[in-house]
Coordinates of all heavy atoms in Angstrom, one line a residue:
M544 N 0.8 1.5 23.5 CA 0.9 0.9 22.1 C -0.5 0.7 21.6 O -1.4 0.1 22.1 CB 1.8 -0.4 22.1 CG 2.0 -0.8 20.7 SD 2.8 -2.4 20.5 CE 4.2 -2.3 21.4
K545 N -0.7 1.1 20.3 CA -1.9 0.9 19.7 C -2.2 -0.6 19.3 O -1.2 -1.3 18.9 CB -1.9 1.7 18.4 CG -3.2 1.7 17.5 CD -3.1 2.6 16.4 CE -4.4 2.6 15.6 NZ -4.3 3.5 14.2
K546 N -3.3 -1.1 19.6 CA -3.5 -2.5 19.2 C -3.6 -2.7 17.7 O -4.1 -1.8 17.0 CB -4.9 -2.9 19.8 CG -5.2 -4.3 19.5 CD -6.7 -4.8 20.2 CE -6.9 -6.2 19.8 NZ -8.1 -6.7 20.3
I547 N -2.9 -3.6 17.3 CA -2.8 -4.0 15.8 C -3.8 -5.0 15.3 O -3.8 -6.1 15.9 CB -1.4 -4.3 15.5 CG1 -0.4 -3.3 15.9 CG2 -1.3 -4.7 13.9 CD1 1.1 -3.7 15.7
E548 N -4.8 -4.6 14.4 CA -5.7 -5.3 14.0 C -5.4 -5.6 12.5 O -5.3 -4.6 11.8 CB -7.2 -5.0 14.3 CG -7.4 -5.0 15.7 CD -8.9 -4.6 16.0 OE1 -9.8 -5.0 15.1 OE2 -9.2 -4.0 17.0
N549 N -5.4 -6.8 12.1 CA -4.9 -7.1 10.7 C -5.9 -6.5 9.7 O -5.3 -5.7 8.8 CB -5.0 -8.7 10.4 CG -4.3 -9.0 9.1 OD1 -3.2 -8.6 8.9 ND2 -4.9 -9.8 8.3
S550 N -7.2 -6.5 9.9 CA -8.1 -6.0 8.8 C -8.0 -4.5 8.8 O -8.0 -3.9 7.9 CB -9.6 -6.3 9.1 OG -9.9 -5.9 10.4
V551 N -7.9 -3.8 10.0 CA -7.7 -2.4 10.0 C -6.4 -1.9 9.5 O -6.4 -1.0 8.6 CB -7.8 -1.9 11.6 CG1 -7.5 -0.4 11.6 CG2 -9.1 -2.2 12.1
C552 N -5.3 -2.5 9.8 CA -4.0 -2.2 9.3 C -4.0 -2.4 7.7 O -3.5 -1.5 7.0 CB -3.0 -3.2 9.8 SG -1.3 -2.8 9.3
L553 N -4.5 -3.5 7.2 CA -4.6 -3.6 5.7 C -5.4 -2.6 5.1 O -5.2 -2.1 4.0 CB -5.2 -5.0 5.4 CG -4.3 -6.2 5.7 CD1 -4.9 -7.6 5.4 CD2 -3.0 -6.1 4.9
K554 N -6.7 -2.2 5.7 CA -7.5 -1.2 5.2 C -6.7 0.1 5.1 O -6.8 0.9 4.0 CB -8.7 -1.1 6.0 CG -9.6 0.0 5.6 CD -10.7 -0.2 4.6 CE -11.7 0.8 4.4 NZ -11.3 2.0 3.6
E555 N -6.1 0.5 6.1 CA -5.3 1.7 6.2 C -4.1 1.8 5.2 O -4.0 2.8 4.5 CB -4.9 2.1 7.7 CG -5.9 2.3 8.7 CD -5.5 2.5 10.1 OE1 -4.3 2.5 10.3 OE2 -6.3 2.8 10.8
F556 N -3.5 0.8 5.0 CA -2.5 0.6 4.0 C -3.0 0.7 2.7 O -2.6 1.5 1.8 CB -1.6 -0.8 4.1 CG -0.4 -0.7 3.2 CD1 0.6 0.0 3.4 CD2 -0.6 -1.5 2.1 CE1 1.7 0.0 2.5 CE2 0.5 -1.6 1.3 CZ 1.7 -0.8 1.5
G557 N -4.2 0.0 2.3 CA -4.7 0.2 1.0 C -5.2 1.6 0.8 O -5.1 2.1 -0.3
D558 N -5.8 2.2 1.8 CA -6.4 3.6 1.6 C -5.1 4.5 1.4 O -5.3 5.5 0.5 CB -7.1 4.1 2.9 CG -8.3 3.4 3.1 OD1 -8.9 2.7 2.2 OD2 -9.0 3.5 4.2
L559 N -3.9 4.4 2.1 CA -2.8 5.1 1.9 C -2.3 5.1 0.4 O -2.1 6.1 -0.1 CB -1.7 4.7 2.8 CG -0.4 5.3 2.7 CD1 -0.4 6.8 3.1 CD2 0.7 4.5 3.4
I560 N -2.1 4.0 0.0 CA -1.5 3.7 -1.3 C -2.5 4.2 -2.4 O -2.0 4.7 -3.5 CB -0.9 2.2 -1.5 CG1 -2.0 1.2 -1.5 CG2 0.1 2.0 -0.6 CD1 -1.5 0.0 -1.9
K561 N -3.7 4.0 -2.2 CA -4.8 4.5 -3.2 C -4.7 6.0 -3.4 O -4.7 6.5 -4.4 CB -6.1 3.9 -3.0 CG -7.2 4.3 -3.9 CD -8.5 3.8 -3.5 CE -9.5 4.3 -4.6 NZ -10.9 3.6 -4.3
A562 N -4.7 6.5 -2.2 CA -4.7 8.1 -2.1 C -3.5 8.6 -2.9 O -3.6 9.6 -3.6 CB -4.9 8.6 -0.7
E563 N -2.4 8.0 -2.6 CA -1.1 8.5 -3.2 C -1.1 8.1 -4.6 O -0.6 9.1 -5.4 CB 0.1 7.8 -2.5 CG 1.5 8.4 -2.9 CD 1.7 9.9 -2.7 OE1 1.0 10.4 -1.8 OE2 2.5 10.5 -3.3
R564 N -1.5 7.0 -5.0 CA -1.6 6.7 -6.5 C -2.5 7.7 -7.3 O -2.1 8.2 -8.2 CB -2.2 5.3 -6.7 CG -2.3 4.9 -8.2 CD -2.9 3.5 -8.3 NE -4.2 3.4 -7.7 CZ -5.4 3.8 -8.3 NH1 -5.4 4.5 -9.4 NH2 -6.5 3.6 -7.7
I565 N -3.6 8.0 -6.7 CA -4.5 9.0 -7.3 C -3.9 10.4 -7.3 O -4.0 11.1 -8.3 CB -5.8 9.0 -6.5 CG1 -6.7 7.7 -6.8 CG2 -6.7 10.2 -7.0 CD1 -7.8 7.4 -6.0
R566 N -3.3 10.8 -6.2 CA -2.7 12.0 -6.2 C -1.5 12.2 -7.2 O -1.4 13.2 -7.8 CB -1.9 12.3 -4.8 CG -1.4 13.7 -4.5 CD -0.7 13.8 -3.2 NE 0.6 13.2 -3.2 CZ 1.7 13.8 -3.9 NH1 1.6 14.9 -4.5 NH2 2.9 13.2 -3.7
R567 N -0.8 11.2 -7.5 CA 0.2 11.1 -8.6 C -0.4 10.9 -9.8 O 0.4 10.8 -10.8 CB 1.3 10.0 -8.2 CG 2.1 10.4 -6.9 CD 3.1 9.3 -6.6 NE 3.9 9.7 -5.6 CZ 4.9 10.5 -5.6 NH1 5.3 10.9 -7.0 NH2 5.7 10.8 -4.6
R568 N -1.6 10.7 -10.0 CA -2.4 10.5 -11.3 C -1.8 9.1 -12.0 O -1.5 9.2 -13.2 CB -2.2 11.7 -12.2 CG -3.1 12.9 -11.6 CD -3.0 14.0 -12.4 NE -3.9 15.0 -12.0 CZ -3.4 16.2 -11.7 NH1 -2.2 16.5 -11.9 NH2 -4.3 17.2 -11.2
M569 N -1.6 8.2 -11.3 CA -1.1 6.9 -11.7 C -2.2 5.9 -11.8 O -3.2 5.8 -10.9 CB 0.1 6.4 -11.0 CG 1.3 7.2 -11.0 SD 2.6 6.6 -9.8 CE 3.1 5.2 -10.7
S570 N -2.2 5.0 -12.8 CA -3.1 3.8 -12.8 C -2.6 2.7 -11.9 O -1.4 2.7 -11.5 CB -3.3 3.3 -14.1 OG -2.1 2.8 -14.6
Q571 N -3.5 1.8 -11.6 CA -3.0 0.6 -10.8 C -2.1 -0.1 -11.5 O -1.0 -0.6 -11.0 CB -4.3 -0.2 -10.5 CG -5.2 0.4 -9.4 CD -6.4 -0.6 -9.1 OE1 -6.6 -1.5 -9.7 NE2 -7.1 -0.3 -8.0
A572 N -2.3 -0.2 -12.8 CA -1.2 -1.0 -13.8 C 0.1 -0.4 -13.6 O 1.0 -1.1 -13.6 CB -1.9 -1.0 -15.1
E573 N 0.1 0.9 -13.6 CA 1.5 1.6 -13.6 C 2.2 1.3 -12.3 O 3.5 1.0 -12.3 CB 1.2 3.1 -13.8 CG 0.9 3.5 -15.3 CD 0.5 5.0 -15.3 OE1 -0.1 5.6 -14.4 OE2 0.9 5.7 -16.2
V574 N 1.5 1.3 -11.2 CA 2.1 1.2 -9.9 C 2.6 -0.3 -9.9 O 3.7 -0.6 -9.5 CB 1.1 1.5 -8.8 CG1 1.8 1.1 -7.5 CG2 0.8 3.0 -8.8
A575 N 1.7 -1.2 -10.3 CA 1.9 -2.6 -10.2 C 3.2 -2.9 -11.1 O 3.9 -3.7 -10.7 CB 0.7 -3.4 -10.7
Q576 N 3.2 -2.3 -12.2 CA 4.4 -2.6 -13.2 C 5.8 -2.2 -12.5 O 6.8 -2.8 -12.5 CB 4.3 -1.9 -14.5 CG 5.3 -2.2 -15.5 CD 5.1 -1.6 -16.7 OE1 4.3 -0.6 -17.0 NE2 6.0 -2.0 -17.8
I577 N 5.8 -0.9 -11.9 CA 7.0 -0.5 -11.3 C 7.3 -1.2 -10.1 O 8.5 -1.7 -9.8 CB 6.7 1.1 -10.8 CG1 6.6 1.9 -12.0 CG2 7.9 1.4 -10.0 CD1 6.0 3.3 -11.7
A578 N 6.3 -1.8 -9.3 CA 6.4 -2.6 -8.2 C 6.8 -4.0 -8.4 O 7.1 -4.8 -7.6 CB 5.3 -2.5 -7.1
E579 N 6.7 -4.4 -9.7 CA 6.9 -5.7 -10.2 C 5.8 -6.7 -9.6 O 6.3 -7.9 -9.1 CB 8.3 -6.2 -10.0 CG 9.3 -5.3 -10.8 CD 10.7 -5.6 -10.5 OE1 11.1 -6.0 -9.3 OE2 11.6 -5.5 -11.3
I580 N 4.6 -6.3 -9.6 CA 3.6 -7.3 -9.1 C 2.4 -7.2 -10.1 O 2.3 -6.2 -10.9 CB 3.1 -6.9 -7.6 CG1 2.4 -5.6 -7.6 CG2 4.2 -7.1 -6.5 CD1 1.8 -5.2 -6.3
S581 N 1.5 -8.1 -10.0 CA 0.5 -8.2 -11.0 C -0.6 -7.0 -10.6 O -0.7 -6.7 -9.5 CB -0.2 -9.4 -10.9 OG -1.0 -9.6 -9.9
Q582 N -1.2 -6.6 -11.5 CA -2.3 -5.5 -11.4 C -3.4 -6.1 -10.6 O -4.0 -5.3 -9.6 CB -2.8 -4.9 -12.7 CG -3.7 -3.8 -12.5 CD -5.2 -4.1 -12.4 OE1 -5.5 -5.1 -12.9 NE2 -6.0 -3.3 -11.5
P583 N -3.9 -7.3 -10.9 CA -5.0 -7.8 -10.0 C -4.6 -7.9 -8.5 O -5.4 -7.6 -7.5 CB -5.3 -9.2 -10.7 CG -4.9 -9.0 -12.0 CD -3.7 -8.2 -12.0
Y584 N -3.4 -8.3 -8.2 CA -3.0 -8.4 -6.9 C -2.8 -7.0 -6.2 O -3.4 -6.8 -5.1 CB -1.6 -9.1 -6.9 CG -0.9 -9.2 -5.4 CD1 -1.6 -9.8 -4.4 CD2 0.4 -8.7 -5.2 CE1 -1.0 -9.9 -3.1 CE2 0.9 -8.9 -4.0 CZ 0.2 -9.4 -2.9 OH 0.8 -9.6 -1.7
Y585 N -2.3 -6.1 -6.9 CA -2.2 -4.6 -6.5 C -3.7 -4.1 -6.1 O -3.9 -3.5 -5.1 CB -1.6 -3.7 -7.4 CG -1.6 -2.3 -6.9 CD1 -0.5 -1.9 -6.1 CD2 -2.5 -1.4 -7.4 CE1 -0.6 -0.6 -5.6 CE2 -2.6 -0.2 -6.9 CZ -1.6 0.4 -5.9 OH -1.6 1.6 -5.4
S586 N -4.6 -4.4 -7.1 CA -6.0 -4.0 -6.8 C -6.6 -4.5 -5.5 O -7.2 -3.8 -4.8 CB -6.8 -4.3 -7.9 OG -8.3 -4.0 -7.7
K587 N -6.3 -5.7 -5.3 CA -6.8 -6.4 -3.9 C -6.2 -5.8 -2.7 O -6.7 -5.9 -1.7 CB -6.6 -7.9 -4.1 CG -7.7 -8.6 -5.1 CD -7.5 -10.0 -5.3 CE -8.4 -10.6 -6.4 NZ -8.4 -12.0 -6.5
I588 N -4.9 -5.4 -2.9 CA -4.2 -4.9 -1.7 C -4.9 -3.6 -1.4 O -5.2 -3.1 -0.2 CB -2.7 -4.7 -2.1 CG1 -2.0 -6.1 -2.1 CG2 -2.0 -3.8 -1.0 CD1 -0.7 -6.0 -2.7
E589 N -5.2 -2.7 -2.5 CA -5.9 -1.5 -2.3 C -7.2 -1.6 -1.6 O -7.5 -0.8 -0.7 CB -6.0 -0.7 -3.5 CG -5.0 0.2 -3.9 CD -5.3 1.2 -5.2 OE1 -6.4 1.3 -5.5 OE2 -4.4 1.8 -5.6
L590 N -7.9 -2.6 -1.9 CA -9.2 -2.9 -1.4 C -9.2 -3.7 -0.1 O -10.2 -3.9 0.5 CB -10.0 -3.7 -2.4 CG -10.3 -3.0 -3.7 CD1 -10.9 -3.9 -4.8 CD2 -11.2 -1.7 -3.5
A591 N -8.0 -3.9 0.4 CA -7.8 -4.7 1.7 C -8.3 -6.1 1.5 O -8.9 -6.7 2.6 CB -8.3 -4.0 2.9
Q592 N -8.3 -6.6 0.3 CA -8.9 -8.0 0.2 C -7.9 -9.1 0.2 O -8.1 -10.2 0.2 CB -9.7 -8.1 -1.2 CG -10.9 -7.3 -1.2 CD -11.6 -7.3 -2.7 OE1 -11.0 -7.6 -3.6 NE2 -12.8 -6.8 -2.7
R593 N -6.5 -8.7 0.1 CA -5.4 -9.5 0.3 C -4.3 -8.9 1.2 O -4.2 -7.8 1.2 CB -4.7 -9.6 -1.2 CG -5.4 -10.4 -2.2 CD -5.3 -11.9 -2.1 NE -4.1 -12.4 -1.8 CZ -3.2 -12.9 -2.8 NH1 -3.6 -13.0 -4.1 NH2 -2.0 -13.5 -2.5
G594 N -3.7 -9.8 1.9 CA -2.5 -9.5 2.7 C -1.4 -9.2 1.9 O -1.4 -9.5 0.6
I595 N -0.4 -8.6 2.5 CA 0.9 -8.3 1.7 C 2.0 -8.6 2.8 O 2.0 -8.1 3.9 CB 0.8 -6.8 1.3 CG1 2.1 -6.6 0.4 CG2 0.7 -5.9 2.3 CD1 1.9 -5.3 -0.5
D596 N 3.2 -9.1 2.2 CA 4.3 -9.3 3.0 C 5.2 -7.9 2.9 O 4.8 -7.0 2.2 CB 5.1 -10.5 2.6 CG 5.7 -10.3 1.2 OD1 5.6 -9.3 0.6 OD2 6.2 -11.3 0.7
L597 N 6.1 -8.0 3.8 CA 7.0 -6.7 4.0 C 7.7 -6.2 2.7 O 7.8 -5.2 2.3 CB 8.1 -6.8 5.0 CG 9.0 -5.7 5.3 CD1 8.2 -4.6 5.8 CD2 10.0 -6.2 6.4
V598 N 8.2 -7.3 1.9 CA 8.8 -6.9 0.6 C 7.9 -6.4 -0.4 O 8.2 -5.4 -1.1 CB 9.6 -8.2 0.0 CG1 10.0 -7.9 -1.3 CG2 10.5 -8.8 1.0
G599 N 6.7 -6.9 -0.4 CA 5.7 -6.3 -1.3 C 5.3 -5.0 -1.0 O 5.2 -4.1 -1.7
A600 N 5.1 -4.7 0.3 CA 4.8 -3.4 0.8 C 6.0 -2.4 0.5 O 5.8 -1.3 0.1 CB 4.5 -3.4 2.3
L601 N 7.0 -2.9 0.6 CA 8.3 -2.0 0.3 C 8.4 -1.6 -1.2 O 8.6 -0.4 -1.6 CB 9.6 -2.6 0.8 CG 10.0 -2.7 2.2 CD1 11.0 -3.7 2.5 CD2 10.1 -1.2 2.8
K602 N 8.0 -2.6 -2.0 CA 8.1 -2.4 -3.5 C 7.0 -1.4 -3.8 O 7.2 -0.4 -4.7 CB 7.8 -3.7 -4.2 CG 8.9 -4.7 -4.3 CD 8.6 -5.9 -5.0 CE 9.8 -6.8 -5.2 NZ 9.4 -8.0 -6.1
I603 N 5.8 -1.6 -3.3 CA 4.7 -0.6 -3.6 C 5.1 0.8 -2.9 O 4.9 1.8 -3.8 CB 3.3 -1.1 -2.9 CG1 2.9 -2.3 -3.7 CG2 2.3 0.0 -3.0 CD1 1.7 -3.0 -3.1
C604 N 5.6 0.9 -1.8 CA 5.9 2.2 -1.3 C 7.0 2.8 -2.2 O 7.0 4.1 -2.5 CB 6.4 2.1 0.2 SG 4.9 1.9 1.3
K605 N 8.0 2.1 -2.6 CA 9.1 2.6 -3.5 C 8.4 3.1 -4.8 O 8.9 4.2 -5.3 CB 10.2 1.4 -3.9 CG 11.2 2.1 -4.6 CD 12.4 1.0 -4.7 CE 13.6 1.5 -5.4 NZ 14.6 0.6 -5.6
A606 N 7.4 2.4 -5.4 CA 6.9 2.8 -6.7 C 6.2 4.0 -6.4 O 6.1 4.8 -7.4 CB 5.9 1.7 -7.2
L607 N 5.6 4.4 -5.3 CA 4.8 5.5 -5.0 C 5.6 6.6 -4.2 O 5.1 7.7 -3.9 CB 3.6 5.2 -4.3 CG 2.5 4.4 -4.9 CD1 1.4 3.8 -4.0 CD2 1.9 5.2 -6.0
N608 N 7.0 6.4 -4.1 CA 7.8 7.3 -3.4 C 7.2 7.6 -1.9 O 7.3 8.8 -1.6 CB 8.0 8.5 -4.2 CG 9.3 9.3 -3.8 OD1 10.2 8.7 -3.2 ND2 9.3 10.6 -3.9
L609 N 6.8 6.5 -1.3 CA 6.3 6.6 0.1 C 7.4 6.1 1.0 O 8.0 5.2 0.7 CB 5.0 6.0 0.3 CG 3.7 6.5 -0.5 CD1 2.6 5.6 -0.2 CD2 3.3 7.8 0.2
D610 N 7.3 6.6 2.1 CA 8.1 6.1 3.3 C 7.3 5.0 4.1 O 6.5 5.4 4.9 CB 8.8 7.2 4.1 CG 9.8 6.8 5.1 OD1 9.9 5.6 5.3 OD2 10.5 7.7 5.7
L611 N 7.6 3.8 4.0 CA 6.9 2.8 4.8 C 7.1 3.0 6.2 O 6.1 2.7 7.0 CB 7.3 1.4 4.3 CG 6.6 0.2 5.0 CD1 5.1 0.3 4.6 CD2 7.1 -1.2 4.5
S612 N 8.2 3.5 6.6 CA 8.4 3.7 8.1 C 7.5 4.7 8.7 O 6.9 4.5 9.8 CB 9.8 4.0 8.4 OG 10.1 5.4 7.9
D613 N 7.0 5.7 7.9 CA 5.9 6.6 8.4 C 4.7 5.9 8.7 O 4.0 6.1 9.7 CB 5.7 7.8 7.4 CG 6.9 8.7 7.3 OD1 7.7 8.7 8.3 OD2 6.9 9.3 6.3
F614 N 4.3 4.9 7.8 CA 3.1 4.1 8.1 C 3.2 3.3 9.3 O 2.3 3.2 10.1 CB 2.7 3.2 6.8 CG 1.6 2.5 7.0 CD1 0.2 2.9 6.9 CD2 1.6 1.2 7.3 CE1 -0.9 2.2 7.0 CE2 0.5 0.4 7.4 CZ -0.7 0.8 7.3
I615 N 4.3 2.6 9.5 CA 4.6 1.6 10.6 C 4.6 2.4 11.9 O 4.1 1.8 12.9 CB 5.9 0.8 10.3 CG1 5.7 0.0 9.1 CG2 6.3 0.0 11.5 CD1 7.0 -0.7 8.6
K616 N 5.0 3.7 11.9 CA 5.1 4.3 13.1 C 3.8 4.6 13.8 O 3.6 4.8 14.9 CB 5.8 5.7 12.9 CG 7.3 5.5 12.8 CD 7.9 6.9 12.4 CE 9.5 6.6 12.1 NZ 10.1 7.9 11.6
R617 N 2.7 4.5 12.8 CA 1.3 4.7 13.4 C 1.0 3.6 14.4 O 0.0 3.8 15.2 CB 0.3 4.6 12.2 CG 0.4 5.7 11.3 CD -0.6 5.5 10.2 NE -0.4 6.4 9.0 CZ -1.2 6.4 8.0 NH1 -2.2 5.6 7.9 NH2 -0.9 7.2 7.0
Y618 N 1.7 2.5 14.2 CA 1.3 1.3 15.2 C 2.3 1.1 16.3 O 2.1 0.0 16.9 CB 1.2 0.0 14.3 CG 0.1 0.2 13.3 CD1 0.4 0.7 12.0 CD2 -1.2 -0.2 13.6 CE1 -0.8 0.8 11.1 CE2 -2.2 -0.2 12.8 CZ -2.0 0.5 11.5 OH -3.1 0.6 10.6
I619 N 3.3 1.9 16.4 CA 4.3 1.8 17.4 C 3.8 2.6 18.7 O 3.5 3.7 18.5 CB 5.7 2.1 16.9 CG1 6.0 1.2 15.9 CG2 6.7 2.0 18.1 CD1 7.3 1.4 15.2

């Protein structure tokens, strides 16, 4: 099993959602609005400056049409 380090996991999640947001040509504000979170909070998640709970991660993934389980499988 891969060792789970908080900072690495948050950075990888931030990179994933940023890449998908850019691929979809969406602004941070658009994703945040769909996910029902504030844009400053979303920005800090992308930059791995803030942690996120499971519900928040699910909301962001749903807004970007990402499968959170694919990300989680990297750590299993």
Side-chain angles (χ1 to χ4, degrees):
M544 183 190 306
K545 183 176 177 180
K546 183 177 179 182
I547 300 172
E548 294 185 32
N549 196 44
S550 62
V551 173
C552 185
L553 291 175
K554 171 91 170 77
E555 289 179 1
F556 184 73
D558 290 347
L559 171 74
I560 62 173
K561 181 178 182 179
E563 187 62 20
R564 177 182 61 77
I565 290 168
R566 189 184 78 73
R567 293 180 175 275
R568 297 185 174 118
M569 295 174 74
S570 69
Q571 288 183 344
E573 289 171 319
V574 176
Q576 182 178 16
I577 295 167
E579 300 176 330
I580 60 175
S581 73
Q582 185 277 325
Y584 178 57
Y585 177 82
S586 176
K587 289 179 180 180
I588 294 166
E589 270 194 9
L590 296 170
Q592 295 175 345
R593 287 284 309 265
I595 185 167
D596 64 10
L597 181 58
V598 173
L601 286 167
K602 286 180 174 183
I603 290 171
C604 286
K605 185 175 180 181
L607 292 168
N608 199 28
L609 289 171
D610 188 346
L611 183 59
S612 66
D613 289 339
F614 177 77
I615 292 170
K616 286 177 187 173
R617 297 178 190 182
Y618 295 94
I619 300 174

